[in-house]
């Protein structure tokens, strides 16, 4: 299979490429198309850059000519579409790039896939009957939950930020390409990921970086917002499962089975750091990194709680969760210690 991975220099995409290439599959070729925005970094894919099953193309998913050429040159017969503007706070400051990359970019890729794979409505060209487009989306399209309940594939869309609205729009366009043209698509909506190679701006790297710098650790509002934390390697396993086994036209939600308040996550990370860096802690006259936690004014429209019921993924496709939150967090903290303390940016452990 010749797989086009978009946004593969970002957090989840780069983990997915490493994951797929580390499973010995000699029939797999991966083309990584990435614009290298502030969020993309080629150091994230350093470990695979010399792999004969891998190529990098620097470019924009909105560039029709480039995308069509990639399909032709590499005979693409599978797409895993990660590329997006992904930071909610940035979408509040300036929504336009979100609408452009997340909506027009997704449309451009779908159109290229349809042209390259299909002869007409529901009719695939010879050799492309198996070709599939997998769209990666977010649980934020469902809006916010109260104290109880879970998102499922049946939950009504209610996006609250320009980011989630742009992802919701993309999900609808993907759906329409299945309903209208019979394009073989699947969509997954996952919860908050964590793990190595996440951009410094996100919550978990920020907590670790601020703790190491002995600076206040900022937590929005009262820290009570709840997220269902999904370890990135678990997510990659689930994506592979849906890409291979998922039913065309269907959506699957993916959760981590790790519902925690933001303050609980901050506390957990501080406790891991307290253990790993106990000597430094003493020399700083602190008893715990938790003493650095400080509440800051809340983000506008901040969704209160996300939680996922991914029984469809587990029961219909036989997916089995493997990583505990503690295990994922220890790997994550260890990666960021290498990055921030030893200066080994992009170090993979
Ligand atoms: N990180 C999460 O917790 C999370 C949760 C749910 C869903 N998602 C979704 O997963 C996907 C990947 O998220 P991430 O956290 O890895 O994001 P990221 O911001 O770390 O990476 C995005 C990558 O896409 C690239 N990109 C952006 N616009 C592009 C364009 N127009 N053309 C080509 N490349 C472009 C960037 O350079 C970057 O490498 C996104 O679609 C996001 O909506 C992420």
């Amino acid at each position: 299979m010749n797989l086009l991975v978009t946004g593969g220099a970002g957090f989840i995409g780069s983990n997915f490429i490493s994951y797929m290439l580390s499973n010995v599959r000699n029939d797999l070729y991966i083309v990584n198309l990435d614009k290298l925005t502030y969020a993309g970094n080629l150091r994230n894919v350093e470990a695979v850059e010399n792999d004969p099953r891998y190529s990098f193309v620097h470019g924009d998913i909105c560039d029709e000519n480039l995308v069509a050429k990639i399909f032709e040159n590499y005979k693409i017969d599978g797409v895993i579409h990660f590329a997006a503007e992904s930071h909610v706070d940035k979408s509040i400051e300036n929504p336009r790039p979100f609408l452009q990359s997340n909506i027009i970019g997704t449309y451009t890729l779908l159109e290229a896939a349809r042209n390259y794979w299909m002869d007409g409505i529901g009719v695939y060209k010879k050799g492309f009957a198996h070709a599939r487009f997998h769209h990666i989306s977010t649980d934020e399209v469902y809006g916010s939950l109260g104290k109880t309940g879970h998102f499922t594939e049946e939950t009504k869309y209610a996006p609250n930020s320009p980011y989630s609205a742009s992802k919701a729009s993309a999900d609808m366009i993907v759906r329409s390409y299945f309903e209208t043209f019979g394009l073989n698509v699947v969509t997954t909506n996952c919860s908050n990921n964590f793990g190595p190679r996440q951009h410094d701006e996100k919550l978990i790297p920020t907590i670790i970086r601020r703790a190491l710098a002995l600076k206040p650790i900022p937590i929005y509002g009262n820290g009570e917002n709840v997220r269902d934390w999904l370890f990135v390697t678990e997510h990659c396993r689930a994506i592979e499962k849906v890409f291979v086994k998922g039913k065309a036209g269907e959506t699957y939600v993916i959760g981590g089975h790790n519902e925690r308040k933001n303050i609980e996550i901050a506390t957990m990370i501080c406790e891991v750091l307290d253990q790993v860096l106990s000597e430094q802690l003493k020399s700083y006259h602190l008893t715990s990194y938790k003493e650095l936690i400080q509440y800051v004014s809340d983000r506008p429209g901040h969704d209160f709680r996300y939680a996922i019921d991914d029984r469809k993924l587990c029961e219909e496709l036989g997916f089995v969760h493997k990583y505990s939150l503690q295990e994922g967090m220890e790997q994550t903290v260890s990666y960021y210690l290498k990055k921030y303390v030893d200066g080994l940016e992009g170090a993979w452990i």
Side-chain angles (χ1 to χ4, degrees):
M1 168 156 278
N2 299 318
L3 200 58
L4 172 61
V5 173
T6 68
F11 165 44
I12 308 174
S14 65
N15 277 282
F16 181 76
I17 292 173
S18 302
Y19 168 80
M20 291 300 279
L21 291 179
S22 66
N23 294 341
V24 187
R25 276 195 55 174
N26 290 326
D27 61 334
L28 183 69
Y29 192 90
I30 292 184
V31 182
N32 173 9
L33 169 61
D34 200 297
K35 189 178 170 184
L36 298 179
T37 67
Y38 79 98
N41 191 335
L42 283 180
R43 274 178 291 211
N44 288 338
V45 278
E46 231 166 35
V48 297
E49 69 186 6
N50 295 320
D51 193 309
R53 299 166 299 165
Y54 171 81
S55 290
F56 175 71
V57 178
H58 184 198
D60 193 327
I61 53 168
C62 301
D63 180 341
E64 269 176 43
N65 293 331
L66 174 69
V67 172
K69 255 195 218 139
I70 292 173
F71 271 79
E72 277 170 29
N73 291 351
Y74 293 96
K75 302 188 170 43
I76 296 298
D77 55 354
V79 177
I80 313 265
H81 172 36
F82 294 95
E85 289 291 340
S86 71
H87 193 33
V88 176
D89 289 344
K90 283 197 158 51
S91 82
I92 296 169
E93 284 159 24
N94 180 18
R96 183 178 285 275
F98 287 74
L99 308 191
Q100 180 66 19
S101 287
N102 301 1
I103 305 175
I104 301 299
T106 302
Y107 152 74
T108 307
L109 291 164
L110 286 164
E111 202 45 19
R114 180 167 84 90
N115 287 330
Y116 188 66
W117 296 342
M118 302 181 81
D119 268 336
I121 291 179
V123 181
Y124 273 79
K125 292 181 185 162
K126 197 163 166 256
F128 289 98
H130 63 286
R132 164 160 279 190
F133 189 109
H134 185 148
H135 172 57
I136 306 295
S137 189
T138 168
D139 62 353
E140 298 191 31
V141 298
Y142 302 120
S144 181
L145 288 166
K147 287 202 165 140
T148 57
H150 289 83
F151 297 135
T152 72
E153 294 78 7
E154 306 304 319
T155 306
K156 184 166 83 58
Y157 272 42
N160 289 327
S161 70
Y163 162 67
S164 52
S166 69
K167 294 295 291 186
S169 310
D171 294 6
M172 294 298 137
I173 297 167
V174 172
R175 177 190 149 88
S176 78
Y177 269 67
F178 173 73
E179 296 292 340
T180 305
F181 305 114
L183 190 73
N184 179 354
V185 301
V186 277
T187 295
T188 47
N189 296 81
C190 67
S191 55
N192 278 49
N193 281 225
F194 71 99
R197 303 181 192 150
Q198 190 164 28
H199 194 277
D200 290 343
E201 69 192 355
K202 300 286 169 81
L203 179 69
I204 290 177
T206 299
I207 295 171
I208 300 170
R209 205 176 54 254
R210 303 283 296 186
L212 294 176
L214 293 182
K215 295 205 166 132
I217 298 170
I219 299 293
Y220 278 135
N222 55 10
E224 293 290 305
N225 298 63
V226 175
R227 301 292 179 262
D228 177 2
W229 293 94
L230 172 61
F231 184 47
V232 68
T233 313
E234 193 88 285
H235 186 198
C236 294
R237 293 177 61 241
I239 292 170
E240 185 190 19
K241 178 67 98 182
V242 173
F243 185 72
V244 174
K245 285 194 127 188
K247 213 169 138 206
E250 295 282 314
T251 64
Y252 297 85
V253 296
I254 306 173
H257 299 185
N258 294 313
E259 247 191 83
R260 296 288 189 286
K261 294 175 183 168
N262 285 347
I263 185 64
E264 290 174 327
I265 290 292
T267 304
M268 181 177 190
I269 294 170
C270 290
E271 284 168 358
V272 175
L273 289 174
D274 288 349
Q275 282 193 352
V276 185
L277 301 176
S278 55
E279 288 308 310
Q280 278 93 323
L281 199 61
K282 275 187 222 146
S283 65
Y284 298 147
H285 306 293
L286 287 175
T287 51
S288 167
Y289 285 100
K290 286 185 264 188
E291 290 163 42
L292 297 170
I293 295 174
Q294 234 175 51
Y295 294 109
V296 297
S297 53
D298 213 349
R299 156 197 285 170
H302 198 185
D303 291 335
F304 170 63
R305 174 172 166 262
Y306 307 137
I308 291 235
D309 174 349
D310 61 10
R311 258 179 290 184
K312 181 174 173 187
L313 169 75
C314 300
E315 290 173 10
E316 288 183 19
L317 304 187
F319 183 74
V320 180
H321 287 262
K322 184 168 143 185
Y323 292 95
S324 70
L325 181 63
Q326 183 72 25
E327 204 178 343
M329 201 57 83
E330 282 170 9
Q331 280 196 34
T332 306
V333 170
S334 148
Y335 167 85
Y336 284 104
L337 285 179
K338 275 206 172 74
K339 177 171 173 176
Y340 296 141
V341 179
D342 302 340
L344 299 178
E345 201 165 338
W348 173 243
I349 34 98

